[in-house]
Amino acid sequence: MKQFYMQKRINRIILSICIVMLACVSNSNASDNSGVRHFFTTNIDYGVDAHFSLGGSLPVDFPREIRKIESYNPGLQTGIGVHATKWFSDTKDWGIRLQVGVERKGMKTEARVKNYLTEIIQDQSSVRGYYTGLVKTEVGNTFVVIPVSLVYGLSDRVNLYGGFRASFVIDKGFKGYVSDGYLREETPVGTKISFEDGSRAAYDFSSELNTVQWGTQLGAEWSMRNNFKIFSHIDYTFTSLLDKDFTAISFNMHNIYLNIGFGYNF
Amino acid sequence: MIFKIETMRKLFLNFIITLLIIPLCVSCIKDEAMNAEADINSATIENSAELLQTTPIIGDKTVTFRLKEYQDNYTFAPQFTLTPGATIEPASGTEFDFLTPHQYTVTSEDGVWQKTYTVSFVVSNNILFKYSFQNVDLINDRYHKFYEDTPGGKLEDWDSGNQGFSILAAILGAKSPSDYPTSQTPDGYEGNGVIMQTKDTGPMGATFGSPLAAGNLFLGNFETNFPAIRSTRFGQPYNNKKAPVTVSGYFKYKAGENFIANNLPSELEKDTWDAYAILFKRREEENYLLGDHNFEDERIVNIARISDDLRIETDEWLPFEMSFNWEGKSFDPEAEYMYTIVFSSSKEGDRFNGAVGSTLWIDEVEIITEE
């Protein structure tokens, strides 16, 4: 059910983006102001793009508590967007690009940890302690992203681009469970709570995600003859995935993703 | 153009290489941190097989050596194994007079954490075989644990699920010991008694796979474990040369209103209480019956269980008796046995079926042996 509403929400966002773009274009056509019309019609490319992402929410400085990554599954993460590139000159050496997109990012991991300070949360109540054992984490978030990039025309076919991006989380998911291990209540010498025989305790940190995340992206695109292009970029968020006041995970995590996709320039 | 094409190509290549290296760099596993735990993992003394009834019982902050017989000399040099890298003060193997318990402090390998254990040597002669539930300790300022006074220290024969419940206690608003499933009541049959009540464990309890907590009391030890049924470790040494015949005592019972079966099938439509006793053979390792024994463990020698005509609701104290049937079974006076007595405010509490509010009062439990 939730999935269905999410889909509806995404559809609505995509629709709004399209309408805004259309309005911009038609407005500029109808305008008598030749300067504005000139800006939106000369040396400007409009395009749409779609991509898939490979990456995860990772601690940049890997904490000692993590002893072993047992498994990692990037899942199928996709995104779509529209963009406009305004070139500063006819030679299209340098330009600036504004993008608006919707993307899904996530991963599934299974890690072995030792003395990992965590909290098992359920309906506003929680049990806090130091956990040693297996932790399964499933991250899945939907973002509206607005990247602003500087574009450099390396050749007729190849452009490099890089810049900053703002991401707004519209669907949050950061949850998992612990199993095959034990929790020491409050401190490493607290009462021992063991989890055996596949017994597990779930946690859900979804509500602790930062809603607005700032980041950067860097990449390259190759144009083909028929207005199609393929591209690849990495993006990285400076903002920690989880709220900095949230202490159930003792280290900061940042989104880092490699994206590969194709686009069409009008 | 600011850069030559060639320079840009190089830059671009570098960029691609960086892109490939970053994920590798990020996933570097660091050196393991020093241990932060400070546990006594095992304990022993010289000639332990001759002197001890069972392997020393290691609780959260206690180590109890149960001696087979009263010794004139209480001087022992207990030896401990600890969390790797941890240290103990006084040192393992130091001789002390254990007529009174001694305190040991364990310090973790990283030096940050400490835990103090009370180490005691006790004798349970089981001569009277009678429990009146007059004494309780307040554990972690939270809940009751019953004990008997013996030479050498407290004998904690009885345990309950209170330790497990205490994980959820703050969330559930448990403020006093009587908010826990098992506690002492001043309104016993004679003096103090035991009150057991089936409690709601809230949404968090369900997360831990324990949607409710029946009040229980048993001879044995509790170690918080999930699946929860593996936490109850039934059994204490049966230090007697005569076979047990009957377990007797007094009870009151009130069933809670809404019986909920969390695990089907259930034999019940209305909640009722349970009491049983089991005599079983001793073994060296894991010398206990787990909560899921289902009366089928091959070590079991004999079972006594409360009859259905006693599973009634009553406001007045009533006597109960449950008997071992020795027909076709034999008791060996030279063999070493373990025994347990288990009470529960919900008969199917082991499978989390019961009614919140079901209350069982128990007092003056006695084990009667053959003449």
Side-chain angles (χ1 to χ4, degrees), chain A:
Chain A
M1 212 48 196
K2 199 181 167 197
Q3 207 74 32
F4 172 74
Y5 281 121
M6 208 46 246
Q7 199 56 49
K8 241 176 131 177
R9 210 160 150 194
I10 294 168
N11 287 347
R12 203 174 299 158
I13 287 159
I14 295 165
L15 197 68
S16 337
I17 292 164
C18 291
I19 290 167
V20 168
M21 289 301 282
L22 265 174
C24 279
V25 173
S26 57
N27 238 350
S28 64
N29 284 345
S31 172
D32 283 339
N33 190 327
S34 60
V36 173
R37 177 184 290 189
H38 188 258
F39 181 86
F40 283 108
T41 53
T42 315
N43 282 338
I44 191 160
D45 301 331
Y46 296 99
V48 292
D49 55 74
H51 67 262
F52 68 88
S53 314
L54 195 72
S57 306
L58 301 174
V60 169
D61 188 20
F62 231 62
R64 282 180 141 191
E65 287 89 343
I66 297 178
R67 303 311 316 148
K68 195 180 175 197
I69 305 293
E70 297 279 359
S71 77
Y72 163 78
N73 182 350
L76 180 65
Q77 316 293 345
T78 56
I80 52 167
V82 293
H83 63 260
T85 312
K86 175 71 185 173
W87 297 99
F88 298 139
S89 66
D90 293 344
T91 50
K92 293 193 173 180
D93 285 338
W94 290 94
I96 190 159
R97 175 178 295 169
L98 176 69
Q99 263 174 296
V100 180
V102 178
E103 51 189 42
R104 181 94 189 147
K105 288 191 160 163
M107 60 164 188
K108 283 181 194 172
T109 61
E110 201 175 48
R112 219 156 253 294
V113 299
K114 178 184 165 181
N115 271 332
Y116 174 94
L117 178 62
T118 191
E119 206 162 356
I120 296 163
I121 298 178
Q122 188 79 30
D123 293 355
Q124 280 125 47
S125 52
S126 68
V127 173
R128 189 182 157 87
Y130 287 80
Y131 180 75
T132 299
L134 209 59
V135 184
K136 259 207 162 169
T137 308
E138 199 174 329
V139 184
N141 298 302
T142 306
F143 297 91
V144 170
V145 287
I146 306 177
V148 179
S149 325
L150 210 56
V151 187
Y152 173 69
L154 192 63
S155 71
D156 287 350
R157 287 279 171 78
V158 180
N159 292 329
L160 300 179
Y161 58 93
F164 295 95
R165 48 192 272 135
S167 312
F168 306 90
V169 190
I170 55 170
D171 180 36
K172 297 175 174 184
F174 191 108
K175 52 195 174 181
Y177 61 83
V178 298
S179 64
D180 299 310
Y182 60 86
L183 185 80
R184 305 293 311 220
E185 205 183 347
E186 298 294 339
T187 71
V189 291
T191 304
K192 192 174 190 172
I193 304 162
S194 303
F195 299 89
E196 291 173 358
D197 292 347
S199 185
R200 49 175 77 164
Y203 65 87
D204 189 346
F205 299 155
S206 299
S207 59
E208 305 296 336
L209 256 68
N210 272 319
T211 309
V212 183
Q213 298 177 16
W214 299 95
T216 182
Q217 68 176 33
L218 260 175
E221 58 190 16
W222 294 263
S223 300
M224 290 177 284
R225 282 190 188 82
N226 44 16
N227 282 8
F228 276 101
K229 63 177 182 181
I230 55 170
F231 65 87
S232 175
H233 63 255
I234 55 164
D235 61 67
Y236 171 77
T237 53
F238 304 124
T239 316
S240 177
L241 187 69
L242 297 164
D243 196 90
K244 68 174 192 302
D245 296 331
F246 180 63
T247 52
I249 290 182
S250 55
F251 46 86
N252 285 334
M253 273 189 281
H254 301 265
N255 271 341
I256 179 162
Y257 282 89
L258 168 67
N259 307 276
I260 296 165
F262 64 90
Y264 182 83
N265 276 354
F266 296 108

Side-chain angles (χ1 to χ4, degrees), chain B residues 104-176:
Chain B
Y104 286 77
T105 300
V106 183
T107 306
S108 61
E109 186 183 29
D110 66 10
V112 178
W113 302 98
Q114 283 192 332
K115 190 150 98 168
T116 301
Y117 281 87
T118 302
V119 178
S120 53
F121 282 74
V122 296
V123 183
S124 74
N125 291 331
N126 291 2
I127 293 165
L128 285 175
F129 265 115
K130 190 170 172 173
Y131 296 96
S132 293
F133 307 109
Q134 297 306 318
N135 310 314
V136 283
D137 271 329
L138 189 60
I139 306 292
N140 295 335
D141 289 326
R142 289 179 178 176
Y143 55 87
H144 285 161
K145 188 169 183 178
F146 292 90
Y147 70 87
E148 306 291 320
D149 265 323
T150 69
K154 294 167 180 174
L155 189 64
E156 295 176 322
D157 274 351
W158 297 93
D159 211 338
S160 73
N162 281 349
Q163 190 199 65
F165 191 83
S166 78
I167 304 166
L168 308 169
I171 301 161
L172 299 168
K175 290 183 185 76
S176 72

Side-chain angles (χ1 to χ4, degrees), chain A residues 61-62 114 184 194 196, chain B residues 26 30 32 35 37 39 226:
Chain A
D61 188 20
F62 231 62
K114 178 184 165 181
R184 305 293 311 220
S194 303
E196 291 173 358
Chain B
V26 164
K30 291 209 176 144
E32 192 165 336
N35 288 326
E37 289 164 288
D39 291 331
F226 293 94

